C-alpha cells in the first residue's frame, strides 16, 4: 500500500494507542508513539493504574484483535495466557443465579493487563516504521494555521526542553483524562457534549498465586451484583499461576484497601470452595483500589467544527462500565475503523472516523447505561423501558440456570458477539417465559 502521509504521532501507549499505531504503520511512512511512562515492568504501569484489576478479553474483543493482528490470540496462549472456555470454565452468577455451564465452544484468553499490552507492544516494536518514545509526554498541539493540527510538542519529565514533532496526523489515545478537550478550548473550538452515568463503582484487587488448575474445572469465577446486594466478586486466572481476586461495589459500598477488611468482604461473597482456595493461596501484592465515579461518552461525532490532522480514540472518546469488559474491544474496533477510513484518504478524516466510532459504541453505551440503571446507588436511571428490561433479564438468567442454550445466548450478548436484540428473539422469549418447576438461589 502506498503511504498516505510521511508521519503520524500517537499520544499514549496504552491498548488503544498501540492498536492505532499498528494501523497507522500501514498508511504512513513513519509512526511515533509518545508514552508518558518510562521503562516497562511486569507490574502495571503508573499511567495505567487500572492494570492492577482484572482485564477480561470479551469474545468479540478476541475476534477483533485477531482481525487487527492475525494470530494474536494464539501468541497470547503461547506466551502463557490461559485459554478459558467462556461457557465451560467460567462459573458465572447473575442476580443470584448460576448460569448453566456447557461445551458451547466460546473461548477466550485470560491474562493480566500488562501481559495483554506487552504482546501488542512487542509486535509493534518489530515494525521498522514505528518508534516508541517512552518517558515522554504530549504538552500541546502545533497549530500554526486555522483548522489544522500539524504536530505536537512533547517533553521529558527529566528535562531536556520541549521538542516539536511535525505530523500529518496526531491521534490522542491518552485515556480517561484525554488531552484534546483542553486543546480544543485553547484553540477556540467548541467542546464535545458529554453523556454520563454516575455509577459510583469501586474496585479492590489483589494478586494471589495458586496455579491454573486449582479448581477441577473452573478458571474464572464471577459473582455478580444482586438488587439487594450491589456488589460482586471476581476470581480469575492469569499468566504464571497467578489469579486476580477482586471485590467491587456500587453506591455506598466501598471495597477496602485494608487486607483484613478486604478478605472479610471476599468471604461474604465467595462460594465455600472458592473461599477455601483463596485462603490457601499465597498473596503476591497488597490490595489496590480504583474508583470509577462515572461512565461517559464524548460526542466528538456531533461537533460542528474540529481541526483536521487530529483524532481521538479509546477511553479518551468513551469509557463504559469496566465490569462489562468492553474497553479493549473498542480499542480494536476503533483501530479497524481508522484503517477503513484511511483507505479512503486523509481529507475529512476526523468527521468520517468520529461518525463511525460513535455508531460503533452507541449500542454498548445504551446497554451499559440501561444495565447500570437497575442497581441501587447508580444515578442517571429512568431510561424508558428499564423496569420491563430488568424483569425480563432476571427471568432469563433464572431460566439460564437450567438451560445451557439460553445461558450461551446470554453470554453471546454479554460478550458483544450479538446485539441485545437477540435476547428478544421468539425462541429465547419462549424459553425465558416457560413456567419453571425448580428454583435454586446461589451466591
Ligand atoms: C478498573 C478497570 C477495569 C477494567 N477492566 C476491563 C476489562 O475487563 N476488559 C476491558 O476490555 N477493558 C477493561 N477496562 C478498560 C480498559 O482499561 C481501557 O478501555 C483500555 O485500556 C483502553 O484504554 P486506552 O488505551 O484508551 O487508555 P489507557 O489504557 O488508560 O492508556 C492511556 C495511556 O496514555 C498515557 N498518557 C496519558 N497522558 C499522556 C500524555 N500527556 N502524553 C503521553 N502519554 C500519556 C498513559 O500513561 C497511558 O499509558 C477496565 C478499566 C478499569 C478502570
Amino acid at each position: 500500500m502506498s503511504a498516505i502521509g510521511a508521519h503520524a504521532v500517537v499520544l499514549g501507549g496504552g491498548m488503544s494507542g498501540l492498536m492505532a499505531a499498528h494501523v497507522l504503520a500501514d498508511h504512513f511512512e513513519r509512526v511515533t508513539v509518545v508514552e508518558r511512562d518510562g521503562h516497562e515492568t511486569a507490574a502495571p504501569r503508573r499511567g495505567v493504574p487500572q492494570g492492577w484489576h482484572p482485564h477480561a478479553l470479551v469474545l468479540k474483543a478476541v475476534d477483533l484483535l485477531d482481525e487487527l493482528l492475525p494470530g494474536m490470540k494464539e501468541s497470547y496462549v503461547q506466551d502463557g495466557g490461559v485459554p478459558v472456555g467462556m461457557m465451560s470454565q467460567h462459573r458465572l452468577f447473575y442476580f443470584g443465579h448460576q448460569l448453566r455451564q456447557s461445551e458451547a465452544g466460546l473461548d477466550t484468553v485470560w491474562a493480566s493487563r500488562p501481559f495483554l499490552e506487552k504482546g501488542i507492544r512487542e509486535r509493534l516494536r518489530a515494525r521498522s516504521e514505528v518508534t516508541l518514545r517512552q518517558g515522554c509526554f504530549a504538552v500541546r498541539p502545533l497549530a500554526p494555521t486555522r483548522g489544522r493540527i500539524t504536530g505536537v510538542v512533547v517533553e521529558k519529565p527529566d528535562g531536556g526542553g520541549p521538542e516539536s514533532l511535525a505530523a500529518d496526523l496526531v491521534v490522542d489515545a491518552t485515556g480517561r483524562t484525554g488531552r484534546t478537550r483542553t486543546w480544543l478550548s485553547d484553540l477556540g473550538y467548541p467542546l464535545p457534549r458529554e453523556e454520563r452515568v454516575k455509577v459510583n463503582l469501586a474496585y479492590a484487587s489483589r494478586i494471589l498465586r495458586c496455579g491454573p488448575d486449582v479448581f477441577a474445572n473452573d478458571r474464572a469465577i464471577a459473582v455478580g451484583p444482586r438488587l439487594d446486594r450491589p456488589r460482586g466478586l471476581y476470581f480469575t486466572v492469569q499468566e504464571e499461576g497467578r489469579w486476580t481476586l477482586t471485590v467491587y461495589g456500587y453506591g455506598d459500598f466501598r471495597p477496602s484497601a485494608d487486607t483484613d477488611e478486604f478478605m472479610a468482604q471476599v468471604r461474604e461473597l465467595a462460594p465455600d470452595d472458592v473461599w477455601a482456595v483463596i485462603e490457601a493461596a499465597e498473596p503476591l501484592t497488597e490490595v489496590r483500589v480504583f474508583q470509577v465515579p462515572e461512565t461517559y461518552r464524548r460526542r466528538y461525532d456531533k461537533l460542528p467544527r474540529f481541526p483536521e490532522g487530529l483524532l481521538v480514540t479509546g477511553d479518551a472518546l468513551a469509557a463504559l462500565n469496566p465490569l462489562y469488559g468492553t474497553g479493549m474491544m473498542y480499542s480494536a474496533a476503533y483501530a479497524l475503523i481508522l484503517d477503513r477510513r484511511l483507505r479512503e484518504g486523509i481529507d475529512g478524516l476526523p468527521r468520517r472516523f468520529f461518525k463511525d466510532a460513535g455508531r460503533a459504541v452507541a449500542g454498548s453505551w445504551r446497554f451499559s447505561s440501561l444495565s447500570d440503571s437497575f442497581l441501587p446507588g447508580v444515578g442517571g436511571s429512568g431510561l424508558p423501558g428499564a423496569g420491563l428490561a430488568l424483569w425480563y433479564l432476571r427471568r432469563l438468567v433464572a431460566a439460564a440456570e437450567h438451560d445451557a442454550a439460553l445461558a450461551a445466548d446470554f453470554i453471546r450478548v454479554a460478550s458483544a458477539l450479538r446485539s441485545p436484540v437477540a435476547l428478544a428473539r421468539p425462541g429465547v422469549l419462549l424459553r425465558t417465559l416457560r413456567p419453571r418447576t425448580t428454583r435454586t438461589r446461589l451466591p
Side-chain angles (χ1 to χ4, degrees):
M1 201 185 304
S2 63
I4 203 170
H7 188 207
V9 174
V10 179
L11 310 178
M15 291 302 252
S16 306
L18 295 172
M19 292 189 211
H22 271 285
V23 162
L24 294 170
D26 290 337
H27 294 277
F28 290 83
E29 289 166 19
R30 284 187 308 120
V31 176
T32 305
V33 179
V34 174
E35 167 54 48
R36 192 174 46 184
D37 278 342
H39 302 296
E40 302 131 27
T41 57
R45 298 187 284 111
R46 199 159 158 234
V48 185
Q50 72 267 37
W52 290 102
H53 303 277
H55 266 64
L57 272 179
V58 293
L59 297 168
K60 180 74 177 179
V62 176
D63 286 358
L64 292 178
L65 205 51
D66 255 358
E67 186 180 340
L68 186 69
L69 302 166
M72 198 65 224
K73 181 182 172 193
E74 200 43 51
S75 60
Y76 277 147
V77 174
Q78 274 167 14
D79 293 343
V82 184
V84 178
M86 195 61 206
M87 292 310 301
S88 57
Q89 292 174 303
H90 268 78
R91 200 190 312 176
L92 298 164
F93 298 90
Y94 280 96
F95 295 120
H97 298 278
Q98 184 182 348
L99 300 194
R100 184 157 189 129
Q101 292 180 320
S102 67
E103 296 296 331
L106 301 170
D107 298 331
T108 185
V109 181
W110 273 96
S112 67
R113 159 65 194 253
F115 176 98
L116 295 172
E117 194 182 283
K118 183 172 171 223
I120 300 178
R121 193 168 44 238
E122 283 186 350
R123 277 182 71 158
L124 201 59
R125 276 218 170 92
R127 300 190 65 154
S128 57
E129 313 89 336
V130 179
T131 307
L132 291 178
R133 299 273 304 261
Q134 287 166 313
C136 190
F137 61 96
V139 185
R140 62 177 179 276
L142 291 171
T145 53
R146 258 183 92 74
R148 178 171 288 279
I149 302 299
T150 58
V152 64
V153 178
V154 299
E155 269 182 37
K156 287 192 160 199
D158 51 6
E163 183 188 350
S164 296
L165 300 178
D168 305 290
L169 182 63
V170 175
V171 178
D172 175 3
T174 52
R176 293 177 163 245
T177 48
R179 301 291 115 187
T180 297
R181 284 169 309 152
T182 313
W183 293 355
L184 289 180
S185 169
D186 293 348
L187 295 169
Y189 280 89
L191 295 185
R193 179 168 56 81
E194 265 191 4
E195 292 168 11
R196 295 187 209 163
V197 176
K198 288 204 179 310
V199 287
N200 293 319
L201 173 67
Y203 275 61
S205 298
R206 178 179 215 192
I207 315 289
L208 311 178
R209 188 191 305 287
C210 52
D213 297 318
V214 73
F215 296 103
N217 178 63
D218 302 330
R219 287 177 164 179
I221 288 96
V223 177
R226 298 192 315 230
L227 295 183
D228 60 338
R229 189 195 63 194
R231 50 191 180 273
L233 170 130
Y234 276 126
F235 189 46
T236 53
V237 73
Q238 293 185 6
E239 70 278 8
E240 295 177 6
R242 284 179 266 162
W243 287 63
T244 311
L245 174 62
T246 299
V247 170
Y248 61 87
Y250 289 92
D252 294 336
F253 176 77
R254 295 289 96 176
S256 181
D258 173 84
T259 310
D260 292 340
E261 280 175 22
F262 171 76
M263 291 306 272
Q265 291 172 336
V266 170
R267 180 65 198 104
E268 201 197 310
L269 291 161
D272 288 344
D273 66 319
V274 177
W275 172 249
V277 167
I278 291 168
E279 246 195 329
E282 177 196 354
L284 298 179
T285 64
E286 297 301 307
V287 181
R288 308 272 174 160
V289 173
F290 194 100
Q291 314 279 352
V292 184
E294 57 185 25
T295 58
Y296 58 83
R297 183 180 175 208
R298 296 179 183 142
R299 301 305 305 265
Y300 286 99
D301 55 325
K302 297 288 182 200
L303 280 178
R305 288 188 300 127
F306 190 86
E308 292 291 312
L310 179 65
L311 289 184
V312 184
T313 189
D315 282 10
L317 201 52
L320 278 51
N321 185 331
L323 286 172
Y324 304 132
T326 51
M328 298 185 291
M329 175 183 95
Y330 279 109
S331 302
Y334 298 148
L336 289 164
I337 290 171
L338 178 60
D339 183 44
R340 226 176 23 246
R341 288 317 203 170
L342 278 170
R343 284 170 196 274
E344 300 163 357
I346 198 166
D347 290 340
L349 180 67
R351 188 179 39 79
R352 291 180 285 121
F353 173 81
F354 288 136
K355 194 168 153 208
D356 285 4
R359 270 199 198 135
V361 80
S364 296
W365 171 255
R366 270 197 300 275
F367 186 62
S368 161
S369 306
L370 186 69
S371 309
D372 288 338
S373 73
F374 298 155
L375 290 160
V378 175
S381 58
L383 291 168
L388 180 63
L390 172 61
W391 175 82
Y392 182 69
L393 200 59
R394 289 179 73 193
R395 181 128 190 155
L396 188 145
V397 291
E401 198 173 316
H402 307 286
D403 183 335
L406 205 51
D409 282 335
F410 176 74
I411 290 300
R412 285 189 187 95
V413 170
S415 300
L417 285 182
R418 298 243 172 95
S419 144
V421 177
L423 295 182
R425 279 198 336 252
V428 177
L429 261 168
L430 271 177
R431 293 209 310 278
T432 298
L433 301 178
R434 198 160 46 198
R436 276 177 285 132
T437 49
T438 42
R439 272 174 192 274
T440 325
R441 299 235 2 134
L442 290 154

